[in-house]
Amino acid sequence: MSLHPNDLARWLQQGGAERYGDEPATLLSHLLQSAWRAADAGLPDSLVVACGLHDIGHAWLVCHQGAVLERNDLHEDLGADLLAPLLPPSVLGPVRLHVAAKRYLCAIEPQYFDGLSAGSRHSLAMQGGPMNPAESRDFAALPWAADAVQLRRIDDLAKCVDAPEMPLAELMRRIEAIATLR
Ligand SMILES: [Fe+2]
Ligand SMILES: [Fe+2]
């Protein structure tokens, strides 16, 4: 399957206009806030792009199935599969693991759960709940696990109204730069 960066821009714009579940921000704003935070923190370009695209699976579902955003929809696997023709493992890995990273952080940091939004706490149970010790060990050993944890912490913070966002054109420029390196 071929994929052009313009496809991503269309999914983000058409599928991102919806509010993200019961979060105050739209899905597109959530993603652009995530990218802005990652760039502001000086993270590598691949992780900035992963942050900006981590919920692309949600956007695709809205565009193609008119789906109301659901939190147990395996959007992390869908997103990574959609991006696979265009982007490298350094982007795909953190996208695929960003839900698992929440389950991991809930297991290893008791205070992490308290900082989650109400919606994110609610979805945790549907996503399998906190990892058990064996699951946590296995997760930590995966390639991209550390990047997924960084993405996840940014994901959790990027749900505000009127927070700084990376312009979509700038995110697209970074996507195209990484895509050509693939
Ligand atoms: Fe997500
Ligand atoms: Fe997210």
Side-chain angles (χ1 to χ4, degrees), residues 1-3 46 80-93 96 174-182:
M1 187 189 90
S2 68
L3 177 69
S46 58
D81 290 345
L82 288 167
L83 297 173
L86 190 66
L87 292 165
S90 54
V91 175
L92 307 182
R96 192 178 297 281
R174 289 174 183 248
I175 290 169
E176 285 171 29
I178 288 183
T180 56
L181 292 176
R182 187 177 188 274

Side-chain angles (χ1 to χ4, degrees), residues 5 9 22 25 28-29 32 37 51 95 128 143:
D22 45 13
L28 178 57
S29 175
L32 296 176
R37 283 180 173 274
C51 284
V95 169

Side-chain angles (χ1 to χ4, degrees), residues 20 30-31 34 54-55 75 98 152 155 159:
Y20 181 30
H30 168 60
L31 292 171
S34 297
H54 72 272
D55 285 332
H75 69 282
H98 82 270
R152 186 70 222 186
D155 184 3
K159 298 177 177 179

Side-chain angles (χ1 to χ4, degrees), residues 54-136:
H54 72 272
D55 285 332
I56 192 75
H58 275 318
W60 187 93
L61 284 168
V62 172
C63 285
H64 291 84
Q65 300 182 359
V68 176
L69 299 182
E70 292 284 346
R71 290 180 175 270
N72 57 345
D73 54 8
L74 301 180
H75 69 282
E76 66 277 28
D77 285 328
L78 173 62
D81 290 345
L82 288 167
L83 297 173
L86 190 66
L87 292 165
S90 54
V91 175
L92 307 182
V95 169
R96 192 178 297 281
L97 294 178
H98 82 270
V99 172
K102 179 172 76 167
R103 297 183 55 225
Y104 171 75
L105 283 166
C106 284
I108 65 157
E109 287 182 12
Q111 70 278 20
Y112 173 79
F113 176 85
D114 298 331
L116 291 175
S117 67
S120 198
R121 275 187 236 172
H122 175 67
S123 62
L124 177 67
M126 291 189 290
Q127 292 160 342
M131 288 182 173
N132 64 37
E135 289 173 325
S136 298

